[in-house]
Amino acid sequence: MRSAFDFAPFRRSTIGFDRLFDMLENSASGQGNEGYPPFDLIALDDNHYRINLAVAGFNRDQIEITAHQNQLIVSGQRGEDEGIDYIHRGIATRSFERRFGLADHIKVTGADLRDGLLQIDMVREIPEAMKPRKIELGTGEKAGQQIELGAGKKAEPQTEAKKLETA
């Protein structure tokens, strides 16, 4: 099923955003089991997040959580209740699979099942090399030194006055 929006022009003019466009197209197409189980997405602070899924009737052995290539997959498989004669069955016991797209550098740090709620904790861990850093003026390796230009020529460090004169 195609989405209502055509992403082809964007795919042709961008590099590395294929996963984003695939995610947008998949979410626009809709999936039949989207409402079960219900969940909450919580931002605990700027870098910590939590997903709460209502999984009443499932125990720890029946739930599987997998983080793989920027995607979190939570699935539950429940066996049949044999020997029980239900008069009314209102608690859903069907199997489920929920998929959550994770941004780059989001790591799943833990999960816990308590009182029918599955809590999955995540943290954004940005590598030091990608964090913004302030560069102080005049702290370069060659600051204030003559630089070898080649063929025996040397360049003097230019002061602001010399830079303005040559401009």
Side-chain angles (χ1 to χ4, degrees):
M1 176 183 222
R2 293 185 52 89
S3 67
F5 192 81
D6 183 18
F7 293 105
F10 297 107
R11 285 183 186 273
R12 287 191 301 262
S13 61
T14 59
I15 298 170
F17 291 94
D18 295 336
R19 187 173 62 85
L20 174 66
F21 295 130
D22 291 342
M23 186 175 66
L24 289 170
E25 286 174 345
N26 290 338
S27 68
S29 66
Q31 297 171 353
N33 202 16
E34 263 317 293
Y36 181 74
F39 67 95
D40 293 332
L41 296 175
I42 303 166
L44 302 172
D45 62 33
D46 287 343
N47 292 314
H48 292 85
Y49 305 93
R50 177 175 290 151
I51 298 173
N52 285 342
L53 280 108
V55 291
F58 287 86
N59 64 37
R60 295 176 191 278
D61 298 333
Q62 297 168 331
I63 296 173
E64 184 175 309
I65 303 167
T66 307
H68 180 67
Q69 293 182 347
N70 293 0
Q71 192 166 51
L72 176 67
I73 303 166
V74 182
S75 57
Q77 190 73 27
R78 189 158 171 206
E80 293 296 318
D81 294 330
E82 294 182 20
I84 299 176
D85 188 20
Y86 289 96
I87 296 172
H88 170 74
R89 190 163 196 168
I91 299 173
T93 59
R94 64 183 182 258
S95 298
F96 68 88
E97 183 177 278
R98 275 275 188 191
R99 293 177 177 262
F100 299 93
L102 302 178
D104 292 337
H105 313 297
I106 297 286
K107 305 287 185 243
V108 177
T109 58
D112 194 18
L113 180 63
R114 203 176 321 151
D115 300 327
L117 282 179
L118 175 64
Q119 293 183 345
I120 303 170
D121 291 321
M122 296 160 288
V123 64
R124 179 189 342 235
E125 295 177 349
I126 300 173
E128 285 298 320
M130 296 185 74
K131 289 181 181 177
R133 60 188 174 98
K134 194 172 198 171
I135 309 299
E136 297 294 328
L137 292 175
T139 59
E141 290 180 29
K142 306 240 182 212
Q145 298 177 8
Q146 289 188 347
I147 301 170
E148 188 85 24
L149 294 177
K153 296 181 182 177
K154 292 188 177 184
E156 291 182 35
Q158 289 188 346
T159 63
E160 286 300 313
K162 286 185 182 178
K163 287 180 187 177
L164 291 174
E165 289 174 12
T166 57

